[in-house]
Amino acid sequence: MLLLLVAGLSAARAELEESTVSSDEVENGEYRLAALIIDDIGDLRQPGIRAINLPANVAISVLPHTPFGTELAELAHEQGREVMLHMPMEAKNRTDPGPGAIYLDMDEHDVRRAMRSALADVPHARGVNNHMGSLITRHPGHMQWVMEELKRAGDLYFIDSRTSARSVAQELAKEYGLKNSARVIFIDPQRDEEIIEKQIKDFIATAHSEDGAIAIGHPYPETLDLLEEYLPKLRGKGIKLVPPSVLVDKPAGDPVEEMHP
């Protein structure tokens, strides 16, 4: 198992170096910058490792208080991937967001405690995006406490996963002076290969037309299969994947309609 893991990480590193684009090429306008976040990392070890091994500079967003979250955050950091906290928040359809989540009936003390506990559980986190949260991200009070905790924790950014078209999360991140951006496309809103492939192509088209496009995907086998096929082709399409921290000062695109709970 260890030999296979080392071999996989070595291959991923070699492919990443192969696809690296110089800063001069970017400054000359030859390449557009985009980011891809793989979230929901932590419940399963092997899909998490496979996501870390993807042949491009993807970010790894880790669910707190999960069986393999801390281990995979450490591994991602060792491999030069940017680590994020994928903060669970209550959805309007009442789907269980997982351990350590923020709920609407929580008071200020409980929200702050949940944020601090989650940040402590995911080492090397450079930023945060919401897991679910179509209910919480619409409530300024709760999101104010979240942003205050991110401000207190240091130079962390916030990326709104945009699980609700009524989200106020990015607006409050700006208000509190946090670096921020928002997801423009989910590449796997359904676990269907045809839909995922179409979404990946839409992401490539969006990234090619403007800097700063941020996509979110999940460690589903269908998603990883297609990303392993398409990511090595990005250089030839004039796109460079960078960590989200490079793009958080980019202006957000137009609001998008709700696609996730």
Coordinates of all heavy atoms in Angstrom, one line a residue, residues 96-150:
D96 N -28.6 16.3 6.6 CA -27.5 16.3 7.6 C -26.2 16.8 7.0 O -25.6 16.1 6.2 CB -27.3 14.9 8.2 CG -26.3 14.8 9.3 OD1 -25.8 15.9 9.7 OD2 -25.9 13.7 9.7
P97 N -25.7 17.9 7.5 CA -24.4 18.4 6.9 C -23.2 17.8 7.5 O -22.1 18.0 7.0 CB -24.5 19.9 7.3 CG -25.3 20.0 8.5 CD -26.3 18.8 8.5
G98 N -23.4 16.9 8.5 CA -22.2 16.2 9.1 C -21.8 16.8 10.4 O -22.3 17.8 10.9
P99 N -20.7 16.2 11.0 CA -20.3 16.6 12.4 C -19.7 18.0 12.4 O -19.1 18.5 11.4 CB -19.2 15.6 12.7 CG -18.8 15.0 11.4 CD -20.0 15.1 10.5
G100 N -19.9 18.7 13.5 CA -19.4 20.1 13.7 C -20.1 21.1 12.9 O -19.5 22.2 12.7
A101 N -21.3 20.9 12.4 CA -22.0 21.9 11.6 C -22.5 23.1 12.4 O -22.7 23.0 13.6 CB -23.1 21.2 10.8
I102 N -22.8 24.1 11.6 CA -23.5 25.3 12.1 C -24.9 25.2 11.8 O -25.3 25.0 10.6 CB -22.9 26.6 11.5 CG1 -21.4 26.8 12.0 CG2 -23.7 27.8 11.9 CD1 -20.7 27.9 11.4
Y103 N -25.8 25.4 12.8 CA -27.2 25.3 12.6 C -27.9 26.6 13.0 O -27.4 27.4 13.7 CB -27.8 24.2 13.5 CG -27.4 22.8 13.1 CD1 -26.3 22.2 13.6 CD2 -28.2 22.1 12.1 CE1 -26.0 20.9 13.2 CE2 -27.9 20.8 11.7 CZ -26.7 20.2 12.2 OH -26.4 19.0 11.8
L104 N -29.1 26.8 12.4 CA -29.8 28.1 12.6 C -30.1 28.3 14.1 O -30.2 29.5 14.5 CB -31.0 28.1 11.7 CG -31.7 29.5 11.6 CD1 -30.8 30.5 11.0 CD2 -33.0 29.4 10.7
D105 N -30.4 27.2 14.8 CA -30.8 27.4 16.2 C -29.6 27.6 17.2 O -29.8 27.7 18.4 CB -31.7 26.3 16.6 CG -31.0 24.9 16.6 OD1 -29.8 24.9 16.3 OD2 -31.6 23.9 17.0
M106 N -28.4 27.7 16.6 CA -27.2 27.9 17.5 C -27.1 29.4 17.8 O -27.3 30.2 16.9 CB -26.0 27.4 16.8 CG -26.0 25.9 16.6 SD -24.6 25.2 15.6 CE -23.2 25.7 16.5
D107 N -26.7 29.7 19.0 CA -26.4 31.1 19.4 C -25.0 31.5 19.0 O -24.2 30.7 18.5 CB -26.7 31.3 20.8 CG -25.8 30.5 21.8 OD1 -24.7 30.0 21.3 OD2 -26.1 30.4 23.0
E108 N -24.6 32.7 19.3 CA -23.3 33.2 18.9 C -22.2 32.4 19.4 O -21.2 32.0 18.7 CB -23.2 34.7 19.3 CG -21.8 35.2 19.0 CD -21.7 36.7 19.4 OE1 -22.7 37.3 19.8 OE2 -20.5 37.2 19.3
H109 N -22.3 32.0 20.7 CA -21.2 31.3 21.4 C -21.0 29.9 20.7 O -19.9 29.5 20.4 CB -21.6 31.0 22.8 CG -20.7 30.1 23.6 ND1 -19.4 30.4 24.0 CD2 -20.8 28.8 23.9 CE1 -18.8 29.4 24.6 NE2 -19.7 28.4 24.5
D110 N -22.1 29.2 20.3 CA -22.0 27.9 19.7 C -21.5 28.0 18.3 O -20.7 27.1 17.9 CB -23.4 27.2 19.7 CG -23.8 26.8 21.1 OD1 -22.9 26.6 22.0 OD2 -25.0 26.6 21.3
V111 N -21.8 29.1 17.6 CA -21.3 29.2 16.2 C -19.8 29.5 16.3 O -19.0 28.9 15.5 CB -22.0 30.4 15.5 CG1 -21.3 30.7 14.2 CG2 -23.5 30.0 15.2
R112 N -19.4 30.3 17.1 CA -18.0 30.6 17.3 C -17.2 29.4 17.7 O -16.1 29.1 17.2 CB -17.7 31.8 18.2 CG -18.3 33.1 17.7 CD -17.9 34.2 18.7 NE -18.5 35.5 18.3 CZ -17.9 36.3 17.4 NH1 -16.8 36.0 16.8 NH2 -18.5 37.5 17.1
R113 N -17.7 28.6 18.6 CA -17.1 27.4 19.1 C -17.0 26.4 18.0 O -15.9 25.7 17.8 CB -17.8 26.8 20.3 CG -17.2 25.6 20.9 CD -17.9 25.1 22.1 NE -19.3 24.8 21.9 CZ -20.1 24.4 22.9 NH1 -19.7 24.4 24.1 NH2 -21.4 24.1 22.6
A114 N -18.0 26.3 17.1 CA -18.0 25.3 16.0 C -16.9 25.7 15.0 O -16.2 24.9 14.5 CB -19.3 25.3 15.3
M115 N -16.8 27.0 14.7 CA -15.8 27.5 13.8 C -14.4 27.2 14.3 O -13.5 26.7 13.6 CB -16.0 29.0 13.5 CG -17.1 29.3 12.6 SD -16.9 28.6 10.9 CE -15.3 29.2 10.4
R116 N -14.1 27.5 15.6 CA -12.8 27.3 16.1 C -12.4 25.8 16.2 O -11.3 25.5 15.9 CB -12.7 27.9 17.5 CG -12.9 29.5 17.5 CD -12.8 30.1 18.9 NE -13.1 31.5 18.8 CZ -13.0 32.4 19.8 NH1 -12.6 31.9 21.0 NH2 -13.3 33.6 19.7
S117 N -13.4 25.0 16.5 CA -13.1 23.6 16.6 C -12.8 23.0 15.2 O -11.9 22.2 15.0 CB -14.3 22.9 17.2 OG -14.2 21.5 17.2
A118 N -13.6 23.5 14.2 CA -13.3 23.0 12.8 C -12.0 23.4 12.3 O -11.2 22.6 11.7 CB -14.4 23.5 11.9
L119 N -11.6 24.7 12.5 CA -10.3 25.2 12.1 C -9.2 24.4 12.7 O -8.2 24.1 12.1 CB -10.2 26.7 12.3 CG -11.0 27.6 11.4 CD1 -11.1 29.0 12.0 CD2 -10.5 27.6 10.0
A120 N -9.4 24.1 14.0 CA -8.3 23.3 14.7 C -8.2 21.9 14.2 O -7.1 21.3 14.3 CB -8.6 23.3 16.2
D121 N -9.2 21.4 13.6 CA -9.2 20.0 13.2 C -8.7 19.8 11.8 O -8.4 18.7 11.4 CB -10.7 19.4 13.2 CG -10.7 17.9 13.1 OD1 -10.2 17.2 14.0 OD2 -11.2 17.4 12.1
V122 N -8.6 20.9 11.0 CA -8.1 20.8 9.6 C -6.8 21.6 9.5 O -6.8 22.8 9.3 CB -9.1 21.3 8.6 CG1 -8.6 21.3 7.2 CG2 -10.4 20.5 8.7
P123 N -5.6 21.0 9.7 CA -4.4 21.7 9.6 C -4.1 22.3 8.3 O -4.5 21.8 7.2 CB -3.3 20.6 10.0 CG -4.0 19.3 9.6 CD -5.4 19.5 9.8
H124 N -3.3 23.4 8.3 CA -2.8 24.1 7.1 C -3.9 24.7 6.2 O -3.7 25.1 5.1 CB -2.1 23.1 6.2 CG -1.0 22.3 6.9 ND1 0.1 22.8 7.5 CD2 -1.0 20.9 7.2 CE1 0.8 21.9 8.1 NE2 0.2 20.7 7.9
A125 N -5.1 24.9 6.8 CA -6.2 25.5 6.0 C -5.8 27.0 5.7 O -5.6 27.8 6.6 CB -7.5 25.5 6.7
R126 N -5.9 27.3 4.4 CA -5.7 28.7 4.0 C -7.0 29.5 3.8 O -7.0 30.7 3.7 CB -4.9 28.7 2.6 CG -3.5 28.1 2.7 CD -2.5 29.1 3.3 NE -2.6 30.4 2.7 CZ -2.1 30.8 1.6 NH1 -1.4 29.9 0.9 NH2 -2.2 32.0 1.1
G127 N -8.0 28.7 3.7 CA -9.3 29.4 3.4 C -10.5 28.5 3.8 O -10.3 27.3 4.2
V128 N -11.7 28.9 3.6 CA -12.9 28.2 3.9 C -13.9 28.3 2.8 O -14.0 29.4 2.2 CB -13.5 28.8 5.3 CG1 -14.8 28.1 5.6 CG2 -12.5 28.6 6.4
N129 N -14.6 27.2 2.6 CA -15.8 27.3 1.8 C -16.9 26.5 2.5 O -16.6 25.6 3.3 CB -15.6 26.8 0.3 CG -15.5 25.3 0.2 OD1 -14.7 24.7 1.0 ND2 -16.1 24.7 -0.8
N130 N -18.2 26.8 2.2 CA -19.3 26.2 2.9 C -19.6 24.9 2.3 O -19.7 24.7 1.1 CB -20.5 27.1 3.0 CG -20.9 27.7 1.6 OD1 -20.2 28.5 1.0 ND2 -22.1 27.2 1.2
H131 N -19.9 23.9 3.2 CA -20.5 22.6 2.8 C -22.0 22.7 3.1 O -22.4 23.0 4.2 CB -19.9 21.5 3.7 CG -20.5 20.2 3.5 ND1 -20.5 19.5 2.3 CD2 -21.1 19.4 4.4 CE1 -21.1 18.4 2.4 NE2 -21.5 18.2 3.7
M132 N -22.8 22.5 2.0 CA -24.2 22.7 2.1 C -24.5 24.2 2.4 O -23.9 25.1 1.8 CB -24.9 21.8 3.0 CG -24.7 20.3 2.6 SD -25.8 19.2 3.6 CE -25.3 17.6 3.0
G133 N -25.3 24.5 3.4 CA -25.4 25.8 3.9 C -26.4 26.7 3.2 O -26.4 27.9 3.4
S134 N -27.3 26.1 2.4 CA -28.3 27.0 1.7 C -29.2 27.7 2.7 O -29.8 28.7 2.3 CB -29.1 26.1 0.7 OG -29.7 25.0 1.4
L135 N -29.3 27.3 3.9 CA -30.1 28.0 4.9 C -29.2 29.0 5.7 O -29.5 30.2 5.7 CB -30.7 27.0 5.9 CG -31.6 27.6 7.0 CD1 -32.8 28.4 6.4 CD2 -32.1 26.6 8.0
I136 N -28.1 28.6 6.2 CA -27.2 29.4 7.0 C -26.7 30.6 6.2 O -26.6 31.7 6.7 CB -26.1 28.6 7.6 CG1 -26.6 27.6 8.6 CG2 -25.0 29.5 8.3 CD1 -27.3 28.2 9.8
T137 N -26.2 30.4 5.0 CA -25.6 31.5 4.2 C -26.6 32.6 3.9 O -26.1 33.6 3.4 CB -24.9 30.9 2.9 OG1 -25.9 30.3 2.1 CG2 -23.8 30.0 3.3
R138 N -27.8 32.4 4.1 CA -28.8 33.5 3.9 C -29.0 34.3 5.1 O -29.8 35.3 5.0 CB -30.2 32.8 3.4 CG -30.1 32.2 2.1 CD -31.5 31.8 1.6 NE -32.1 30.6 2.4 CZ -33.3 30.1 2.2 NH1 -34.1 30.7 1.4 NH2 -33.7 29.1 2.9
H139 N -28.4 34.0 6.2 CA -28.7 34.6 7.5 C -27.5 35.5 7.9 O -26.4 35.0 8.3 CB -29.0 33.6 8.6 CG -30.4 33.1 8.4 ND1 -31.5 33.6 9.1 CD2 -30.9 32.1 7.7 CE1 -32.6 32.9 8.8 NE2 -32.3 32.0 7.9
P140 N -27.6 36.8 7.8 CA -26.5 37.7 8.1 C -25.9 37.5 9.5 O -24.7 37.6 9.7 CB -27.1 39.1 7.9 CG -28.2 38.9 7.0 CD -28.8 37.6 7.4
G141 N -26.7 37.3 10.5 CA -26.2 37.1 11.9 C -25.2 36.0 12.0 O -24.1 36.2 12.5
H142 N -25.6 34.8 11.6 CA -24.7 33.7 11.6 C -23.5 33.9 10.8 O -22.3 33.5 11.2 CB -25.5 32.4 11.2 CG -26.4 31.9 12.2 ND1 -27.6 32.6 12.6 CD2 -26.5 30.8 12.9 CE1 -28.3 31.9 13.5 NE2 -27.6 30.8 13.7
M143 N -23.6 34.4 9.6 CA -22.5 34.6 8.7 C -21.5 35.7 9.3 O -20.3 35.6 9.1 CB -22.9 34.9 7.3 CG -23.6 33.7 6.6 SD -22.8 32.1 6.8 CE -21.2 32.5 5.9
Q144 N -22.1 36.6 10.0 CA -21.3 37.7 10.6 C -20.3 37.0 11.6 O -19.1 37.3 11.7 CB -22.1 38.7 11.3 CG -21.4 39.7 12.1 CD -22.3 40.7 12.9 OE1 -23.4 40.9 12.5 NE2 -21.8 41.1 14.1
W145 N -20.9 36.1 12.4 CA -20.0 35.4 13.4 C -19.0 34.6 12.8 O -17.8 34.5 13.2 CB -20.9 34.6 14.4 CG -22.0 35.4 15.1 CD1 -21.9 36.7 15.5 CD2 -23.3 34.9 15.5 NE1 -23.0 37.1 16.1 CE2 -23.9 36.0 16.1 CE3 -23.9 33.7 15.4 CZ2 -25.2 35.9 16.7 CZ3 -25.2 33.6 15.9 CH2 -25.9 34.7 16.5
V146 N -19.4 33.9 11.7 CA -18.4 33.1 10.9 C -17.2 34.0 10.4 O -16.1 33.7 10.6 CB -19.1 32.4 9.7 CG1 -18.0 31.8 8.8 CG2 -20.0 31.3 10.2
M147 N -17.6 35.1 9.8 CA -16.5 36.0 9.3 C -15.7 36.6 10.3 O -14.4 36.7 10.2 CB -17.2 37.1 8.4 CG -17.9 36.6 7.2 SD -17.0 35.4 6.2 CE -18.4 34.8 5.2
E148 N -16.2 36.9 11.5 CA -15.4 37.4 12.6 C -14.5 36.4 13.1 O -13.3 36.7 13.4 CB -16.4 37.9 13.7 CG -17.1 39.2 13.4 CD -18.1 39.6 14.5 OE1 -18.4 38.7 15.4 OE2 -18.6 40.7 14.4
E149 N -14.8 35.1 13.1 CA -13.9 34.1 13.5 C -12.8 33.9 12.5 O -11.7 33.6 12.8 CB -14.7 32.7 13.7 CG -15.5 32.7 15.0 CD -14.6 33.0 16.2 OE1 -13.5 32.3 16.4 OE2 -14.9 33.8 17.0
L150 N -13.1 34.0 11.2 CA -12.1 33.9 10.2 C -11.1 35.0 10.3 O -9.9 34.9 10.1 CB -12.7 33.8 8.8 CG -13.6 32.6 8.5 CD1 -14.0 32.6 7.0 CD2 -12.9 31.3 8.8

